[in-house]
Amino acid sequence: MKIESTQECPEPYFLPDETTLKVQKAMQEDVDSMASLFKVLSDPVRIHILKALEVSDLCVCVLVEITDYKHSALSYHLKLLKDANLVESKRERNFQMYCLTDFGKVLLRTMESSFNEKLQAQL
């Protein structure tokens, strides 16, 4: 049984050589660090920590007091944020204080701004 298509063949797709080379180069870029950053940001706990540190530099003990998380869990999340260069720490007397890095501040502001624009566009 022979079935004939009633659809016309689409026109051939043309991509200029220059664009093809740019696409190939983009596909070969090392994006591991960017993917790692997105993995760090994929946990709501870590985003909450960033938002809290946007308000003020904090000790883990304060985060323990205002959340239901254990000290060890928060320390784990803070280590990941620190490894991603979003957070840094310094010792003040007996306390390990955490604060956003400049990169962390810019990234958080950019994310919040982008989401706010997207929400406004949906209204």
Side-chain angles (χ1 to χ4, degrees):
M1 180 158 111
K2 185 177 178 184
I3 300 175
E4 292 184 12
S5 174
T6 57
Q7 297 178 347
E8 294 180 28
C9 289
E11 293 181 27
Y13 183 78
F14 174 75
L15 192 62
D17 290 342
E18 181 179 331
T19 304
T20 301
L21 290 173
K22 287 180 181 178
V23 169
Q24 287 173 335
K25 184 178 177 183
M27 293 297 290
Q28 293 171 355
E29 285 181 24
D30 181 7
V31 295
D32 290 345
S33 59
M34 194 181 302
S36 294
L37 179 62
F38 281 110
K39 287 178 186 176
V40 169
L41 295 171
S42 69
D43 191 313
V45 172
R46 293 191 278 272
I47 295 175
H48 281 128
I49 291 170
L50 292 175
K51 291 183 73 58
L53 293 175
E54 186 178 35
V55 174
S56 177
D57 297 356
L58 298 169
C59 174
V60 179
C61 58
V62 172
L63 293 170
V64 169
E65 281 294 316
I66 61 176
T67 67
D68 292 331
Y69 302 113
K70 294 183 179 184
H71 188 281
S72 59
L74 287 168
S75 291
Y76 168 76
H77 290 295
L78 284 163
K79 181 191 178 325
L80 294 177
L81 292 168
K82 194 172 181 180
D83 290 347
N85 193 33
L86 297 171
V87 166
E88 59 190 6
S89 66
K90 58 187 176 236
R91 179 148 306 283
E92 287 185 14
R93 298 185 319 267
N94 293 333
F95 302 99
Q96 192 72 20
M97 299 297 292
Y98 290 87
C99 63
L100 293 176
T101 61
D102 289 340
F103 176 59
K105 290 174 188 174
V106 169
L107 185 66
L108 190 58
R109 268 190 249 120
T110 302
M111 288 181 353
E112 289 174 334
S113 164
S114 296
F115 279 103
N116 287 338
E117 287 174 14
K118 184 177 178 180
L119 288 175
Q120 290 300 320
Q122 291 177 349
L123 297 180

